[in-house]
Amino acid sequence: QVQLVESGGGMVQPGGSLRLSCAASGFTLDDYAIGWFRQAPGKEREGVSCISSRDGNTVYADSVKGRFTISRDNAKNTVYLQMNSLEPEDTADYYCYANNGGYGYWGQGTQVTVSS
């Protein structure tokens, strides 16, 4: 069965770090571009970062550029989002999305809370 599962969320103090994971099963992730999205209460879902399927090209939202890093480990069929220098404004539910132009899959989300 096709599945995409996020993990690694939690509560962290401002200035702290978290690493989110997006693990795929039932399909080969290296054929897909992967995006990380987030949604805070009362706000629209926004794109955070994307990584291409094979050449590793990356894109970041201006709000996280220089603080977040997206990467992929094709051998583990997993994509990561390393989040450093976290701010209260980063508090949201984070989702990963895989797309190959013909098929797309969403994960269930993982919650990130940045608070002192």
Side-chain angles (χ1 to χ4, degrees):
Q1 55 184 14
V2 173
Q3 196 170 26
L4 201 61
V5 179
E6 303 96 331
S7 62
M11 186 177 68
V12 65
Q13 295 184 3
S17 298
L18 287 172
R19 188 178 73 161
L20 305 184
S21 298
C22 177
S25 60
F27 67 102
T28 302
L29 198 56
D30 61 3
D31 293 328
Y32 289 73
I34 308 298
W36 283 98
F37 296 79
R38 67 185 183 185
Q39 187 167 19
K43 296 185 177 181
E44 295 182 347
R45 186 172 297 186
E46 64 174 344
V48 176
S49 182
C50 296
I51 186 167
S52 61
S53 60
R54 295 189 180 275
D55 65 6
N57 187 44
T58 59
V59 177
Y60 297 92
D62 288 341
S63 59
V64 307
K65 194 173 299 181
R67 300 188 297 120
F68 291 11
T69 303
I70 190 170
S71 62
R72 66 193 304 151
D73 187 338
N74 290 334
K76 296 182 178 180
N77 218 23
T78 300
V79 172
Y80 304 96
L81 184 68
Q82 179 67 45
M83 306 186 296
N84 298 325
S85 301
L86 284 162
E87 304 168 352
E89 292 75 18
D90 297 316
T91 296
D93 291 330
Y94 284 72
Y95 302 85
C96 63
Y97 175 70
N99 185 274
N100 71 350
Y103 298 91
Y105 306 101
W106 284 97
Q108 85 291 345
T110 185
Q111 186 176 1
V112 172
T113 301
V114 185
S115 176
S116 59

